[in-house]
Amino acid sequence: MMRRLGAAVAAAALLATTACAGDAARGGEPATRRQLFVVAGGDKVSGPDRVEARTGDTVELVVTSDAADELHVHGYDRGAELAAGRPATLSVDTDIPGVFEVELHRSGLVLTQLRVRP
């Protein structure tokens, strides 16, 4: 189990370095922002505390957990089932400005906050 989790953490770190373009690079155009998270033993092992986006962007949350759970983005009422040890991706088109909690429903873990600016 630890070997698989270590591989997931390494893969998340590699993908995070190429995940998204910054605001200056995109010239005002909508962007796809991919953020990677790893959860083990009921705690977040990796991933940002806050995900920043603008309205019109697409945010992809990629979560690998060592336990089955349900990923949920409040305010957008979007969710995805998580299978233990397998990455799951939830895409959100950011059309509502504000700050929204992203949590794992069964464990109650707040994974991050999604901040969407106009």
Side-chain angles (χ1 to χ4, degrees):
M1 182 63 147
M2 288 304 292
R3 184 177 292 161
R4 279 195 302 177
L5 184 58
V9 170
L14 176 63
L15 288 173
T17 61
T18 60
C20 65
D23 288 342
R26 69 184 184 147
E29 294 297 315
T32 298
R33 301 183 176 282
R34 176 175 282 169
Q35 297 294 325
L36 304 157
F37 298 88
V38 175
V39 176
D43 291 317
K44 180 172 67 172
V45 174
S46 69
D49 292 333
R50 181 173 276 183
V51 175
E52 300 281 342
R54 291 184 166 227
T55 54
D57 288 347
T58 298
V59 173
E60 292 181 346
L61 304 170
V62 182
V63 180
T64 303
S65 175
D66 64 349
D69 210 319
E70 180 188 355
L71 177 66
H72 185 256
V73 180
H74 290 274
Y76 284 88
D77 200 25
R78 298 286 317 273
E81 287 295 320
L82 303 178
R86 294 188 175 184
T89 301
L90 175 62
S91 293
V92 178
D93 293 326
T94 57
D95 56 356
I96 306 168
V99 178
F100 308 94
E101 282 192 346
V102 178
E103 72 171 347
L104 301 187
H105 259 209
R106 292 181 198 122
S107 68
L109 174 68
V110 175
L111 195 60
T112 191
Q113 290 182 331
L114 172 60
R115 180 177 179 220
V116 180
R117 295 173 289 145

